[in-house]
Amino acid sequence: MKKILILNTGGTISMSEDQRTGKVAPTDSNPIGAGGNIFSYIGDLHVEDLYHLASPQITQNEMLGIKNRINKAVQEGYDGVVVTHGTDTLEETAYYLELTLDVNIPIVITGAMRSSNEIGADGLANLRSSLVVATDDESIDKGVLVVMNDEVHTATYVTKTHTTNVATFQTPTFGPIGLVSKNNVIYFQKLIKEEHYNVSTTEKRVYLLKAYAGMDGELIDAVVELGVDGLVIEALGAGNLPPKTVPAIRNCIEKNIPVVFVSRAFNGVTQDVYDYEGGGKRFQQDGVIFTTGLSGQKARIKLMILLEAGIPFDRLRELF
C-alpha cells in the first residue's frame, strides 16, 4: 500500500452547518479527519491538521508552510500528499506549490463546496477522488493537481468559476487533464511546461488591480507610493487600458517595478495587438509583460515568487 499524507488546512471541507441557523463554521473536531478512516483500503493514510483556517485567512506565509511540510513529507518517505483547503483561495495555494515544489510524487489539492452535514456534502467524495489520484502511478510527475467533482485539473490554469456550485472548479480554454472513474484516474492531457523556483521568504509586495472603462492612473500611482515590488493588472481585452493610465504605467517601468498584464476576460490569452494610445502593442514596447492564459491571481502569485527567488528585472519577461 502506498503511504499518503493528508494535510488538513481548514475550509468548508472541515466545517459543519448549524441546522438551526444555517451558518457554516469550524467545529471542535474535523469531520474529514474522522471520515478519512473509511478510505484506509485505498492506502496507508496519515492525517495531520496543519492549520485550522478559512481560505480567506490563508496568506503566502501559510502557503510557504505547506510547501515546507510537503518537502519534509518527501524526506519521510511518503508516496503522495493530499491537501484539504478552503476553495476561495485554493487555486492560489495550488499554483504557489506548483511553482515552488520540485518533487515527483503526486501532490493533490482538494476542498468542498458544502460542509460535512449539508445535504449533498461533497467533502468526502472529493477526498476519496483525491486519494485515488494520489495513489495512481500515472499521477507521478504530473505537477500539483486540483481534484474536485471527479475532475483532475492542473494547478496552473484551474479557477473557481461559481460561488456555490459543486462543479465550480474549471480550466477555461484547456479543460481538465483527467477524470476519476471508480477506482482509477484516466488522463488525456498533460501540462507541457513545468517551472520551479527556490523560495524561503514571503517579503515581496505584489498588488493586483482590475481595469475598467474610464480608469486613470490614480490607483496605480497610489500603489507605487505604498512601496510596491510588482504590479499585476487585469487589462481589457487582449491587453489594453484606457489612455489615462499610460503615464502611471510608464512611471512604474522607469522605477524598475515590473508590470504584468493579464486579461479580465474569462477565456483567452493576452497579446500585444493594438497600436494606439492605451493599446497592448505600445504597452509591450514600453516594457509591460504579457502572460499566456494566467488569471490575475495566478500572475500575482508567479510574479511574487519570481521576485522572492531573486530573478532580475530583465529576465521576468521570458519567464512569463
Side-chain angles (χ1 to χ4, degrees), residues 56-257:
Q57 298 168 341
I58 294 288
T59 71
Q60 51 262 43
N61 292 324
E62 285 74 34
M63 296 178 192
L64 178 62
I66 297 170
K67 187 267 288 189
N68 290 338
R69 181 62 188 94
I70 292 174
N71 275 330
K72 184 179 178 182
V74 174
Q75 297 171 0
E76 293 168 343
Y78 283 96
D79 299 303
V81 178
V82 173
V83 180
T84 67
H85 195 290
T87 59
D88 285 349
T89 58
L90 183 152
E91 63 195 86
E92 288 161 272
T93 295
Y95 191 46
Y96 183 98
L97 297 176
E98 169 66 29
L99 292 176
T100 58
L101 285 171
D102 190 6
V103 299
N104 65 353
I105 67 169
I107 308 297
V108 180
I109 319 294
T110 193
M113 295 302 293
R114 296 173 184 165
S115 58
S116 60
N117 60 338
E118 287 185 69
I119 294 176
D122 56 332
L124 284 179
N126 287 334
L127 178 59
R128 178 193 171 279
S129 294
S130 298
L131 291 170
V132 169
V133 171
T135 55
D136 195 304
D137 288 340
E138 291 296 316
S139 301
I140 295 172
D141 281 330
K142 286 287 196 301
V144 176
L145 302 170
V146 172
V147 176
M148 297 277 290
N149 202 40
D150 287 340
E151 292 184 342
V152 184
H153 297 264
T154 67
T156 302
Y157 295 115
V158 71
T159 190
K160 187 174 182 178
T161 65
H162 195 285
T163 55
T164 58
N165 197 309
V166 295
T168 180
F169 280 91
Q170 304 289 330
T171 300
T173 306
F174 308 116
I177 67 166
L179 299 174
V180 180
S181 176
K182 296 295 182 182
N183 294 318
N184 67 305
V185 56
I186 303 169
Y187 288 104
F188 43 86
Q189 289 192 71
K190 183 179 180 180
L191 186 66
I192 60 174
K193 179 182 178 182
E194 292 186 25
E195 49 191 321
H196 309 287
Y197 304 95
N198 185 27
V199 298
S200 58
T201 58
T202 58
E203 300 171 351
K204 298 300 181 181
R205 303 174 69 186
V206 178
Y207 288 83
L208 171 63
L209 297 177
K210 187 165 188 171
Y212 52 86
M215 183 181 186
D216 58 26
E218 289 185 350
L219 284 176
I220 300 169
D221 290 335
V223 164
V224 172
E225 288 298 316
L226 288 171
V228 69
D229 295 299
L231 177 62
V232 176
I233 298 180
E234 291 188 7
L236 307 173
N240 313 301
L241 287 181
K244 288 185 179 180
T245 64
V246 172
I249 295 293
R250 287 176 176 164
N251 180 51
C252 289
I253 303 299
E254 290 170 1
K255 293 179 180 292
N256 279 340
I257 298 171

Side-chain angles (χ1 to χ4, degrees), residues 12 28 37 57 132 268 295 316:
T12 299
D28 293 335
N37 294 329
Q57 298 168 341
V132 169
S295 63
L316 294 175

